[in-house]
Amino acid sequence: MLSRLVFIPASALKSSGSMGAGLVQASRCLHISPQNQAPVPPLPEKSGKVRHGIIPEEFFQFLYPKTGVTGPYVLGTGLLLYLLSKEIYVVNHETVAAASVGAVLIYAVKKFGPGIATFADKLNDEKAAKVQEVKDTAVNSLTQAIEAEKKEQWRVEGRQMLFDAKRNNVAMILETNYRERLHMVTNEVKKRLEYQVQLQNLHHRMEQEYMVDWVEKNVVKSITPQQEKESIAKCIADLKALAKTTQAKVSL
Amino acid sequence: FFDQFSLTTFMGIPLIALALTLPWILFPTPQNRCLNNRLSTLQAWFIRQFTHQLFLPINQGGHKWALLLASLLIFLITLNLLGILPYTFTPTTQLSMNMGLAIPLWLATVLIGARYQPNHTLAHLLPVGTPGLLIPILIMIETISLFIRPIALGVRLTANLTAGHLLIQLISTAAFHLLFIMPSVSLLTTTLLLLLTILELAVAIIQAYVFVLLVSLYLQDS
């Protein structure tokens, strides 16, 4: 009787509907040794269903096949009446005390029960959310890492193109260099050739001049003095004639 | 009427042994899961809140007392709350038990303070800033108050619980007998209900108990 009193208040005290789980917890602690059940079976999310806040639903189910729906109620009423009539349970002042205690407790449970239940659920949900957040963050960072990796791979391909372009560049520069040098070589060669040409021209000219000089010298040498006098006299006569014509032109 | 206060040996086992050991069934042990069922979560949350609040002022080697004080709280709360139900026996109504809790704990705080910091402990006997003339008298008073502490702790707990239970008994008897002389009953039962609600401040008594213990601990700066 005393132990039953202990159990029932346990549920009444903290019965946000969680009595079933509480009791199961209590008994489970005694039977488990860690080596036997290495993957721990999950706790039931919702507590065992209770009817009227105290009596578990299984009791009703247990009696259902034999006695139908009204079975447990009849049992309860009959038991109560039996106890009362036979004075096995004497109604005395304690009953009044029990009634008031019961009233206060039921009032408290009805009023604060759901609030406390939501609070406990909120605590649990916060924990779950935290862990979930960790997981989500991990997943996010990993996805980002994957994307970055893909981008890097694309960049590597791009890099090939970059190398090609650079290679082309270098080839062009080499080509340009080569052409320049070719150009330079041509110029130098042309200069050399021109030099030779000039040299030859010079030779020609000098020969010509030397020849002309030689011819002139010979001619001058060959002019005898006789011829010289004749030519001078002729020149004077020409000059006089010219002077006359000029004078005539001037007087006109 | 005083039956419930005698230390009965019912069915050969002293009832007090049963009453002291059985309440532990009610509290599930924490399961080391991330998410527990509601009861475990609430319980764990409550214990953590309480311990945190209790040890904010101390913040030193006094944290060794955490387990003791928290379990003391749970113990006393359970005993008192269960005692409110009819036909139960509340061990804390026995002066012997309460003094058995009070004196060793108080003595422990005093001895710890006296051993590790004797100067500091003696300094506590005299509040600061008293005028010179009053010093001898004040030392006497402080010493007396120091020694009265365990008695106060134990007797406070016992007296409050006993008085509460007794009142409930008397009023419920009166209500019961007046049930057959109708009118006064309703008033009496209402009063009874109110008293009950207040008695559920048996919890507060426990807080007071542990708090006073804490205060002495804190003062001794263990």
Side-chain angles (χ1 to χ4, degrees):
Chain A
M1 182 76 171
L2 188 61
S3 59
R4 188 162 167 77
L5 275 174
V6 166
F7 272 113
I8 292 183
S11 62
L13 269 182
K14 301 228 170 109
S15 80
S16 331
S18 63
M19 182 217 72
L23 270 186
V24 167
Q25 274 273 27
S27 59
R28 203 194 289 164
C29 302
L30 300 173
H31 298 307
I32 288 183
S33 78
Q35 289 101 3
N36 292 352
Q37 295 200 12
V40 183
L43 273 176
E45 278 256 347
K46 301 253 170 231
S47 50
K49 293 174 69 55
V50 284
R51 221 191 269 202
H52 300 303
I54 298 183
I55 310 170
E57 187 68 33
E58 284 93 4
F59 186 61
F60 290 82
Q61 296 301 337
F62 172 66
L63 287 180
Y64 183 73
K66 287 288 168 79
T67 55
V69 172
T70 53
Y73 295 109
V74 168
L75 174 64
T77 320
L79 194 65
L80 195 61
L81 288 175
Y82 166 69
L83 289 176
L84 283 174
S85 63
K86 292 271 188 170
E87 298 263 328
I88 296 177
Y89 176 71
V90 181
V91 174
N92 53 7
H93 61 280
E94 296 271 5
T95 317
V96 177
S100 41
V101 164
V104 168
L105 279 177
I106 292 179
Y107 171 72
V109 163
K110 281 269 170 6
K111 187 151 184 230
F112 300 116
I116 297 186
T118 44
F119 179 71
D121 282 341
K122 191 169 66 110
L123 283 178
N124 264 356
D125 284 341
E126 276 170 16
K127 262 200 231 173
K130 259 194 261 183
V131 174
Q132 181 76 0
E133 202 184 301
V134 166
K135 188 175 110 177
D136 282 342
T137 325
V139 163
N140 272 350
S141 65
L142 283 177
T143 333
Q144 276 181 359
I146 290 179
E147 282 181 14
E149 182 65 32
K150 283 205 183 118
K151 211 172 181 188
E152 284 302 312
Q153 284 177 354
W154 172 79
R155 272 201 198 131
V156 164
E157 286 169 25
R159 222 178 286 159
Q160 302 290 13
M161 271 197 280
L162 194 68
F163 290 160
D164 281 340
K166 282 203 174 151
R167 215 176 292 140
N168 280 347
N169 239 9
V170 166
M172 261 200 290
I173 290 178
L174 285 175
E175 181 93 11
T176 323
N177 226 6
Y178 170 69
R179 293 245 172 104
E180 274 180 11
R181 280 191 274 157
L182 203 60
H183 203 9
M184 205 161 52
V185 160
T186 347
N187 278 355
E188 291 293 311
V189 166
K190 206 157 65 156
K191 270 198 258 184
R192 304 268 190 285
L193 289 176
E194 272 192 13
Y195 175 71
Q196 297 295 334
V197 160
Q198 296 284 2
L199 210 62
Q200 280 187 353
N201 282 354
L202 191 67
H203 264 280
H204 261 260
R205 221 181 19 220
M206 286 193 64
E207 283 175 5
Q208 244 182 338
E209 281 186 6
Y210 186 70
M211 230 183 343
V212 164
D213 275 339
W214 185 74
V215 166
E216 276 186 14
K217 251 193 262 174
N218 277 356
V219 165
V220 165
K221 253 197 275 182
S222 70
I223 299 180
T224 55
Q226 165 91 24
Q227 279 181 333
E228 221 178 315
K229 270 194 211 162
E230 278 180 22
S231 63
I232 289 178
K234 194 168 182 251
C235 285
I236 292 175
D238 279 336
L239 273 172
K240 277 188 191 163
L242 269 174
K244 277 191 193 159
T245 47
T246 320
Q247 265 182 353
K249 273 193 192 165
V250 170
S251 65
L252 276 173
Chain B
F1 285 122
F2 292 96
D3 280 352
Q4 62 163 352
F5 299 129
S6 68
L7 191 57
T8 58
T9 63
F10 187 67
M11 301 192 297
I13 311 169
L15 249 186
I16 190 167
L18 273 178
L20 281 176
T21 52
L22 282 183
W24 294 117
I25 298 179
L26 292 175
F27 296 105
T29 61
Q31 271 273 319
N32 284 335
R33 299 165 170 276
C34 181
L35 302 171
N36 305 319
N37 59 340
R38 284 176 187 160
L39 188 55
S40 300
T41 318
L42 273 175
Q43 184 180 313
W45 169 82
F46 174 70
I47 292 184
R48 166 177 291 169
Q49 280 295 101
F50 172 74
T51 320
H52 185 67
Q53 284 296 319
L54 209 56
F55 282 88
L56 274 182
I58 300 192
N59 217 357
Q60 300 138 5
H63 281 303
K64 280 180 268 182
W65 288 70
L67 180 63
L68 177 65
L69 291 179
S71 49
L72 188 64
L73 173 87
I74 304 284
F75 180 55
L76 290 172
I77 287 185
T78 320
L79 283 179
N80 293 351
L81 280 177
L82 283 180
I84 299 176
L85 306 165
Y87 297 115
T88 49
F89 170 69
T90 322
T92 40
T93 52
Q94 309 297 317
L95 186 65
S96 52
M97 169 180 156
N98 286 356
M99 295 301 278
L101 282 178
I103 294 188
L105 291 173
W106 164 83
L107 202 60
T109 64
V110 166
L111 286 180
I112 287 180
R115 171 189 288 197
Y116 289 126
Q117 293 180 341
N119 288 339
H120 199 66
T121 314
L122 286 175
H124 272 305
L125 287 175
L126 187 66
V128 267
T130 60
L133 275 177
L134 285 177
I135 289 184
I137 305 178
L138 256 150
I139 292 189
M140 294 280 291
I141 294 180
E142 291 280 340
T143 319
I144 293 179
S145 92
L146 184 69
F147 280 102
I148 236 180
R149 245 182 231 161
I151 310 177
L153 274 177
V155 172
R156 177 190 305 120
L157 194 57
T158 316
N160 274 307
L161 255 73
T162 319
H165 279 239
L166 200 56
L167 266 174
I168 286 189
Q169 295 252 303
L170 288 173
I171 294 189
S172 58
T173 316
F176 176 65
H177 285 292
L178 283 175
L179 192 60
F180 310 106
I181 318 171
M182 286 300 243
S184 329
V185 172
S186 42
L187 243 120
L188 277 170
T189 34
T190 324
T191 324
L192 183 51
L193 273 178
L194 273 176
L195 189 67
L196 269 172
T197 330
I198 299 177
L199 203 67
E200 255 128 14
L201 300 177
V203 180
I205 297 293
I206 303 321
Q207 293 235 342
Y209 188 91
V210 182
F211 237 92
V212 171
L213 213 53
L214 178 66
V215 162
S216 39
L217 187 67
Y218 171 54
L219 281 181
Q220 299 292 338
D221 262 345
S222 70

Coordinates of all heavy atoms in Angstrom, one line a residue, chain B residues 135-164:
Chain B
I135 N 32.6 46.8 21.7 CA 33.3 45.6 21.1 C 33.1 44.4 22.0 O 32.7 43.3 21.5 CB 34.8 45.9 20.9 CG1 34.9 46.8 19.7 CG2 35.5 44.6 20.6 CD1 36.3 47.1 19.3
P136 N 33.3 44.4 23.3 CA 33.2 43.2 24.1 C 31.7 42.6 24.0 O 31.6 41.4 23.8 CB 33.5 43.6 25.5 CG 34.2 44.9 25.4 CD 33.7 45.6 24.2
I137 N 30.8 43.5 24.1 CA 29.4 43.0 24.1 C 29.1 42.3 22.7 O 28.5 41.3 22.6 CB 28.4 44.2 24.3 CG1 28.8 44.9 25.6 CG2 27.0 43.7 24.3 CD1 27.9 46.0 25.9
L138 N 29.6 43.0 21.7 CA 29.3 42.5 20.3 C 30.0 41.1 20.1 O 29.4 40.2 19.5 CB 29.8 43.4 19.3 CG 28.5 44.1 18.7 CD1 28.9 45.5 18.2 CD2 28.0 43.3 17.6
I139 N 31.2 41.0 20.7 CA 31.8 39.7 20.5 C 31.0 38.6 21.2 O 30.8 37.5 20.6 CB 33.3 39.7 21.1 CG1 34.1 40.6 20.2 CG2 33.8 38.3 21.1 CD1 35.6 40.5 20.6
M140 N 30.5 38.9 22.4 CA 29.7 37.9 23.1 C 28.5 37.6 22.2 O 28.1 36.4 22.0 CB 29.1 38.5 24.4 CG 30.2 38.7 25.4 SD 30.6 37.2 26.2 CE 29.1 36.9 27.1
I141 N 27.8 38.6 21.7 CA 26.6 38.4 20.9 C 26.9 37.5 19.7 O 26.2 36.6 19.3 CB 26.0 39.7 20.5 CG1 25.5 40.4 21.8 CG2 24.9 39.5 19.5 CD1 24.9 41.7 21.5
E142 N 28.0 37.9 19.0 CA 28.4 37.1 17.8 C 28.7 35.7 18.1 O 28.3 34.8 17.3 CB 29.6 37.8 17.1 CG 29.3 39.1 16.5 CD 28.6 39.0 15.2 OE1 28.7 38.0 14.5 OE2 28.0 40.0 14.8
T143 N 29.3 35.5 19.2 CA 29.7 34.1 19.6 C 28.4 33.3 19.8 O 28.2 32.1 19.4 CB 30.6 34.0 20.8 OG1 31.5 35.1 20.7 CG2 31.2 32.7 20.9
I144 N 27.5 33.9 20.6 CA 26.3 33.3 20.9 C 25.5 33.0 19.6 O 25.0 31.9 19.4 CB 25.4 34.1 21.8 CG1 26.1 34.2 23.2 CG2 24.0 33.5 22.0 CD1 25.3 35.1 24.1
S145 N 25.5 33.9 18.7 CA 24.8 33.7 17.4 C 25.4 32.6 16.6 O 24.8 31.8 16.0 CB 24.7 35.0 16.6 OG 25.7 35.0 15.7
L146 N 26.7 32.5 16.7 CA 27.4 31.4 16.0 C 27.0 30.1 16.5 O 26.7 29.1 15.8 CB 28.9 31.6 16.1 CG 29.7 30.6 15.3 CD1 29.6 30.9 13.9 CD2 31.2 30.7 15.7
F147 N 26.9 30.0 17.9 CA 26.6 28.6 18.4 C 25.2 28.3 18.3 O 24.8 27.1 18.5 CB 27.1 28.6 19.9 CG 28.6 28.3 19.9 CD1 29.5 29.4 20.2 CD2 29.1 27.1 19.7 CE1 30.8 29.1 20.2 CE2 30.5 26.8 19.7 CZ 31.3 27.9 19.9
I148 N 24.4 29.3 18.2 CA 22.9 29.0 18.1 C 22.6 28.5 16.7 O 21.5 28.0 16.5 CB 22.1 30.2 18.5 CG1 21.2 29.8 19.7 CG2 21.3 30.7 17.4 CD1 20.4 30.9 20.2
R149 N 23.4 28.7 15.8 CA 23.1 28.4 14.4 C 22.6 26.9 14.2 O 21.6 26.7 13.5 CB 24.2 28.6 13.5 CG 23.9 29.7 12.5 CD 25.0 30.0 11.6 NE 25.3 31.4 11.6 CZ 26.4 31.9 11.1 NH1 27.4 31.1 10.8 NH2 26.6 33.2 11.1
P150 N 23.3 25.9 14.7 CA 22.8 24.6 14.4 C 21.5 24.3 15.0 O 20.6 23.7 14.3 CB 23.9 23.7 14.9 CG 24.5 24.5 16.0 CD 24.5 25.9 15.5
I151 N 21.3 24.8 16.2 CA 20.0 24.6 16.8 C 18.9 25.3 16.0 O 17.9 24.7 15.8 CB 20.0 25.2 18.3 CG1 21.3 24.7 19.0 CG2 18.8 24.8 19.0 CD1 21.4 25.3 20.4
A152 N 19.2 26.5 15.5 CA 18.2 27.2 14.8 C 17.9 26.4 13.5 O 16.7 26.2 13.1 CB 18.7 28.6 14.4
L153 N 18.9 25.9 12.8 CA 18.7 25.2 11.6 C 17.8 24.0 11.8 O 16.7 23.8 11.2 CB 20.0 24.7 11.0 CG 20.8 25.6 10.1 CD1 22.1 25.0 9.7 CD2 20.0 25.9 8.9
G154 N 18.2 23.2 12.8 CA 17.4 22.0 13.0 C 16.0 22.2 13.5 O 15.0 21.7 12.9
V155 N 15.9 23.1 14.5 CA 14.6 23.3 15.1 C 13.7 24.0 14.1 O 12.5 23.7 14.1 CB 14.8 24.1 16.4 CG1 13.4 24.5 16.9 CG2 15.5 23.3 17.4
R156 N 14.3 24.9 13.3 CA 13.4 25.6 12.3 C 12.7 24.6 11.4 O 11.5 24.6 11.2 CB 14.2 26.5 11.4 CG 13.4 27.2 10.4 CD 14.2 28.0 9.4 NE 15.1 28.9 10.0 CZ 16.4 28.9 9.9 NH1 17.0 28.0 9.2 NH2 17.1 29.8 10.5
L157 N 13.5 23.7 10.9 CA 12.9 22.7 10.0 C 11.9 21.8 10.7 O 10.7 21.7 10.2 CB 14.0 21.8 9.4 CG 13.7 20.9 8.3 CD1 13.2 21.8 7.1 CD2 14.8 20.1 7.8
T158 N 12.2 21.3 11.8 CA 11.3 20.5 12.5 C 10.0 21.2 12.9 O 8.9 20.7 12.6 CB 12.0 20.0 13.9 OG1 13.3 19.6 13.6 CG2 11.2 18.8 14.5
A159 N 10.2 22.4 13.4 CA 9.0 23.1 13.9 C 8.1 23.4 12.8 O 6.9 23.2 12.8 CB 9.5 24.4 14.6
N160 N 8.7 23.9 11.7 CA 7.8 24.3 10.6 C 7.0 23.1 10.0 O 5.8 23.1 9.9 CB 8.6 24.9 9.4 CG 8.8 26.3 9.6 OD1 7.8 27.0 9.8 ND2 10.0 26.8 9.6
L161 N 7.7 22.0 9.8 CA 7.0 20.8 9.3 C 6.0 20.3 10.2 O 4.8 19.9 9.9 CB 8.0 19.7 8.9 CG 8.1 19.7 7.4 CD1 8.9 20.9 6.9 CD2 8.7 18.4 7.0
T162 N 6.4 20.1 11.5 CA 5.5 19.6 12.5 C 4.2 20.4 12.6 O 3.1 19.9 12.6 CB 6.2 19.5 13.8 OG1 7.5 19.0 13.6 CG2 5.4 18.5 14.7
A163 N 4.5 21.7 12.7 CA 3.3 22.6 12.9 C 2.4 22.5 11.7 O 1.2 22.4 11.8 CB 3.8 24.1 13.0
G164 N 3.0 22.5 10.5 CA 2.2 22.4 9.3 C 1.3 21.1 9.3 O 0.1 21.2 9.1

